Amino acid sequence: MKQLHYELHYFDNPSYPIIFHFNSLSKHQSEILPHWHANIELLYIVSGKALVSIDDEKVIANRGEIVIINSNSIHSIESYSDEVVYFCLIMDSNFCRSLNFDTINCRFHNLTRDPEMRNIFQIIANECHQSKPHYQKAVRALCNTMLILLYRNQLIEKREPSRSKSNRMSVIKQSIEYIHHNFQRDLSLDEISQEVGISKYYFCRIFKEITGITVNNYIIQVRCNHAHQLLAESDISVAECGELCGFNSTAYFTKCFKAQFGFPPSKIHHFKQEGIKVAHESNTTPTQRSVFIASNGQQEPIPL
């Protein structure tokens, strides 16, 4: 079985918590490896045919069809033809919740040819490609419409948040959600393992096996990503930022931040003053999606 990965979506601009990009995969040459994330993801097949594995289901999507990947569904993507070309739209779950759409606890059909949703994809692609003034506001509004269409036509069920601890994946998903809600304060392995109801040692072992990194490293990376966003959008000091993101000392915060981004946190204010775009770097190639690599700072997509 291929190793699974949790994907943390990173937003260069916190006021634009949307990822929209263009991608292509060749048969037998590349694939998007099994992973999951809390945010809902929509794939619009522009040409070719895709094989999308979603939990225990395999979905074959043809040109003009839209694949809906529900929150926390384990999924992978590969080409079912010589090449598949598609658009990918990911909407942050907190953004959806701010619009009164709970995408975490709702389930939608995995495949649709809804003409209205296809039209929204077309308009979003054009907005991103042309990048006219206020295009990000336009895309936010279009995503609101996309959510309305999802709930009108594709909703299967709305369920109460699950507290199931019956399998390893449930435990890891629950622990990740808990970390994201509590990373700003002191967070111990004992506390997290107690929250998910298993021993600390077993929890640490299965977390590393499933996500590919240790619990402590995961917490550090979540904190650093949040710190990057705070520094990029405000004039907050490095010391205050580190404290707000759960670091006990400025020196340790600087060390962790530099290890992740390649430069110290103090550089972000310098970059802003010089008008340099603050980029989120990753050593992971686009077809080997893993932890912490998806960003909304991609190259703009081309129109359909």
Side-chain angles (χ1 to χ4, degrees):
M1 181 178 179
K2 296 174 182 176
Q3 188 179 36
L4 303 175
H5 295 280
Y6 179 79
E7 182 175 272
L8 174 64
H9 296 135
Y10 173 84
F11 301 103
D12 292 323
N13 181 356
S15 67
Y16 184 62
I18 295 158
I19 293 170
F20 189 75
H21 63 82
F22 176 83
N23 199 17
S24 64
L25 294 173
S26 300
K27 194 171 186 179
H28 306 309
Q29 291 183 343
S30 60
E31 64 178 313
I32 305 300
L33 299 177
H35 65 288
W36 85 96
H37 41 74
N39 302 323
I40 191 168
E41 179 174 358
L42 307 179
L43 309 176
Y44 183 102
I45 309 302
V46 178
S47 65
K49 187 180 296 187
L51 174 61
V52 186
S53 298
I54 305 174
D55 292 328
D56 296 326
E57 182 180 354
K58 291 190 180 297
V59 176
I60 297 176
N62 297 287
R63 180 178 182 271
E65 293 183 319
I66 297 171
V67 180
I68 302 168
I69 301 171
N70 290 298
S71 168
N72 288 324
S73 288
I74 298 170
H75 56 283
S76 61
I77 309 165
E78 58 186 290
S79 180
Y80 201 70
S81 54
D82 289 338
E83 183 183 49
V84 61
V85 177
Y86 62 92
F87 283 102
C88 173
L89 171 65
I90 298 173
M91 294 176 282
D92 178 64
S93 59
N94 290 325
F95 165 71
C96 296
R97 189 177 295 113
S98 73
L99 299 172
N100 296 317
F101 293 109
D102 180 9
T103 54
I104 296 288
N105 297 304
C106 289
R107 288 295 174 266
F108 305 94
H109 293 289
N110 288 138
L111 191 65
T112 180
R113 292 187 64 89
D114 187 317
E116 292 180 290
M117 291 177 63
R118 292 165 62 185
N119 185 52
I120 296 298
F121 255 103
Q122 171 74 71
I123 301 172
I124 291 176
N126 289 338
E127 284 287 347
C128 291
H129 177 62
Q130 295 171 12
S131 299
K132 294 180 179 179
H134 309 295
Y135 85 92
Q136 292 184 342
K137 293 179 181 178
V139 172
R140 284 175 60 105
L142 290 163
C143 285
N144 191 7
T145 303
M146 186 74 86
L147 288 165
I148 291 171
L149 294 173
L150 277 172
Y151 275 78
R152 277 182 179 173
N153 305 322
Q154 308 302 328
L155 182 64
I156 299 174
E157 63 174 340
K158 184 173 183 179
R159 63 189 186 188
E160 293 300 316
S162 174
R163 300 289 293 181
S164 171
K165 303 179 181 65
S166 60
N167 59 61
R168 303 195 323 163
M169 288 304 302
S170 295
V171 167
I172 299 307
K173 289 176 180 179
Q174 184 185 350
S175 68
I176 284 174
E177 183 177 359
Y178 189 77
I179 289 169
H180 279 262
H181 282 93
N182 296 280
F183 71 86
Q184 291 99 335
R185 60 176 180 80
D186 286 337
L187 197 56
S188 69
L189 292 175
D190 288 317
E191 177 185 343
I192 302 171
S193 60
Q194 184 176 358
E195 172 67 19
V196 299
I198 60 176
S199 75
K200 176 174 67 175
Y201 303 103
Y202 180 59
F203 169 61
C204 290
R205 179 167 66 82
I206 64 172
F207 192 98
K208 176 67 180 296
E209 288 176 359
I210 291 175
T211 66
I213 62 172
T214 66
V215 182
N216 284 329
N217 283 340
Y218 183 84
I219 295 171
I220 288 171
Q221 298 223 40
V222 170
R223 286 171 172 166
C224 286
N225 277 344
H226 188 68
H228 191 292
Q229 290 182 297
L230 281 179
L231 291 168
E233 68 177 355
S234 70
D235 293 325
I236 190 172
S237 70
V238 170
E240 186 179 0
C241 180
E243 184 178 352
L244 288 173
C245 294
F247 289 97
N248 293 324
S249 76
T250 303
Y252 183 58
F253 167 47
T254 300
K255 177 183 177 181
C256 294
F257 191 97
K258 187 174 182 179
Q260 180 167 342
F261 295 104
F263 52 83
S266 58
K267 277 286 187 180
I268 292 187
H269 290 323
H270 171 73
F271 291 154
K272 289 194 296 184
Q273 292 171 359
E274 298 296 323
I276 301 172
K277 178 177 174 59
V278 182
H280 178 75
E281 300 295 337
S282 171
N283 294 323
T284 310
T285 59
T287 57
Q288 299 291 304
R289 286 167 63 179
S290 182
V291 185
F292 308 113
I293 65 95
S295 166
N296 68 344
Q298 303 94 338
Q299 182 178 356
E300 300 296 356
I302 61 174
L304 296 176

